[in-house]
Amino acid sequence: MIIHPTTSVLFVVDNDDSSLQPLLSYLQNIRHLKLTIEPQLVKNLSSYDVVVTENTSAFASDNEQLTEFVHQGGGWLGLVRLSDRPLPQLFGAQPNPLGPEAELRVLFKNRDHPMATRLPDAIYLKGYYQPLDTTSEDTETVLYADWHYQHSAVLVHRTVGDGHVACRTLQAYENP
């Protein structure tokens, strides 16, 4: 068995949002994750390795604390929650308008990506189609959805300072 180092994660989520419960339950069962769930961003992020924000567009204009956290080596995963409101520029991507609910065929852009090692070449997920447009040359598309014979980014990653940011538009939280 591989022993993983503990990763401390702050998940910022509105208490009234039950759609994330399957994902939160899954994360709570991962032994090496120390998951803290808060309704708003805490003042001191020094005890966390990663911050996940459910309503990431809310940080589009006021993200100085998170930007500093990432530059110092932290990770920020932004979830796009059925909205085409702008994301913080730090992500190097912006959401397109929300499309229809559908079954999405999702694939890795790079089959040699470390995350692709243990996952199938393609997975099918139910959810709303919402592509991301990359706005920075150093933004990497990790996952894309096949849509009308085009590849549309749905998970992107970018290195910023000593840290990393990623954002996703996929809504299939019941599928670990």
Side-chain angles (χ1 to χ4, degrees):
M1 181 166 87
I2 298 173
I3 305 295
H4 296 284
T6 300
T7 301
S8 181
V9 178
L10 172 62
F11 207 113
V12 182
V13 60
D14 183 4
N15 289 334
D16 296 332
D17 188 351
S18 62
S19 67
L20 289 168
Q21 194 54 50
L23 173 63
L24 294 172
S25 294
Y26 174 76
L27 294 174
Q28 287 171 327
N29 288 313
I30 297 175
R31 284 186 173 163
H32 65 274
L33 284 185
K34 180 183 173 206
L35 186 65
T36 303
I37 302 168
E38 293 290 344
Q40 57 190 344
L41 194 61
V42 298
K43 292 185 190 242
N44 183 357
L45 299 175
S46 64
S47 62
Y48 300 103
D49 300 305
V50 177
V51 174
V52 180
T53 53
E54 171 240 0
N55 184 12
T56 305
S57 61
F59 297 95
S61 62
D62 181 19
N63 60 36
E64 187 175 320
Q65 180 186 14
L66 284 165
T67 299
E68 183 65 26
F69 171 74
V70 170
H71 276 279
Q72 293 178 356
W76 181 8
L77 173 60
L79 306 180
V80 179
R81 301 282 298 149
L82 303 177
S83 169
D84 58 1
R85 292 179 30 210
L87 296 171
Q89 294 297 321
L90 194 68
F91 288 103
Q94 292 298 322
N96 278 313
L98 187 63
E101 188 172 17
E103 182 177 64
L104 303 172
R105 182 174 180 240
V106 179
L107 301 99
F108 284 93
K109 182 170 183 183
N110 174 3
R111 290 184 186 193
D112 295 326
H113 191 281
M115 284 178 30
T117 305
R118 297 178 65 188
L119 296 172
D121 289 340
I123 55 174
Y124 294 85
L125 302 173
K126 291 181 182 177
Y128 287 90
Y129 170 70
Q130 185 171 27
L132 290 164
D133 276 337
T134 57
T135 58
S136 179
E137 289 182 17
D138 62 345
T139 302
E140 168 195 19
T141 297
V142 178
L143 293 175
Y144 68 87
D146 275 342
W147 189 258
H148 294 272
Y149 308 105
Q150 295 182 22
H151 296 172
S152 302
V154 292
L155 171 64
V156 297
H157 167 266
R158 184 174 183 219
T159 300
V160 179
D162 291 334
H164 300 271
V165 293
C167 66
R168 62 172 265 174
T169 58
L170 296 171
Q171 303 294 313
Y173 297 115
E174 71 284 349
N175 187 333

